[in-house]
Amino acid sequence: MAEQGLGELFWAVARELRSRTRDALEPWAITPSQSRALSVLLGDEQHRLSDLAERLRIAPRSATEVVDHLERSGLVERRPDPADRRATLIVLTGRGRAAADDIRAARIIEADRFFGRLEPADRTELARILHLLQEGEQAANPG
């Protein structure tokens, strides 16, 4: 298979998975970027906006828009950073924690449905290959 063909095939599958993810997020009226922010906060409790932007690999301005929407939805709140009174921390609310848990479960179900078309051995092999690619990317771009 030609390299270009492999890349095109990969992106077609990624687009389908993104589309299914957007559909799975509809009940919460949030975007995949907002969902990722909730996931990061669920794992790490709180972040400064600049740190959250870095973790999400988006511009700080875009992170501000993500957090503004989540805050208007009552899923996160801004709190003063006790270590630096000029900074604020982004923290999940109780409602945000519950939504993040529910969204994680919905995404797992959708991914299982999507990848369930593969035989177990093929899923294992795909996971192995994707981990190799991810590790290579992380080694090439540490941080």
Side-chain angles (χ1 to χ4, degrees):
M1 182 180 300
E3 178 115 7
Q4 185 177 5
L6 182 60
E8 290 172 4
L9 183 59
F10 177 84
W11 286 114
V13 170
R15 278 190 301 276
E16 177 62 24
L17 191 55
R18 270 196 316 271
S19 175
R20 288 171 178 249
T21 297
R22 277 192 302 273
D23 291 347
L25 294 173
E26 278 184 24
W28 294 276
I30 65 171
T31 66
S33 294
Q34 293 160 357
S35 171
R36 287 179 38 235
L38 290 176
S39 181
V40 167
L41 291 167
L42 186 63
D44 296 337
E45 298 293 321
Q46 61 187 21
H47 276 282
R48 287 184 179 171
L49 190 61
S50 59
D51 297 335
L52 184 60
E54 187 175 313
R55 287 285 307 275
L56 297 174
R57 294 182 176 213
I58 60 176
R61 174 76 179 117
S62 296
T64 298
E65 292 172 5
V66 166
V67 169
D68 286 348
H69 181 275
L70 293 173
E71 187 175 36
R72 282 191 304 273
S73 299
L75 302 176
V76 301
E77 62 185 21
R78 289 174 166 93
R79 292 185 183 162
D81 183 344
D84 181 352
R85 63 186 179 146
R86 297 168 297 163
T88 58
L89 297 172
I90 311 305
V91 182
L92 284 175
T93 62
R95 184 172 165 214
R97 181 170 303 287
D101 285 336
D102 290 346
I103 289 167
R104 177 178 286 169
R107 289 183 76 166
I108 289 169
I109 289 167
E110 189 54 46
D112 286 348
R113 186 177 300 137
F114 181 76
F115 292 110
R117 298 178 285 177
L118 299 175
E119 295 294 325
D122 291 336
R123 286 194 304 268
T124 300
E125 182 64 4
L126 178 59
R128 184 190 69 76
I129 292 167
L130 292 174
H131 282 294
L132 282 174
L133 292 172
Q134 184 182 32
E135 290 168 5
E137 177 63 20
Q138 289 172 348
N141 298 302

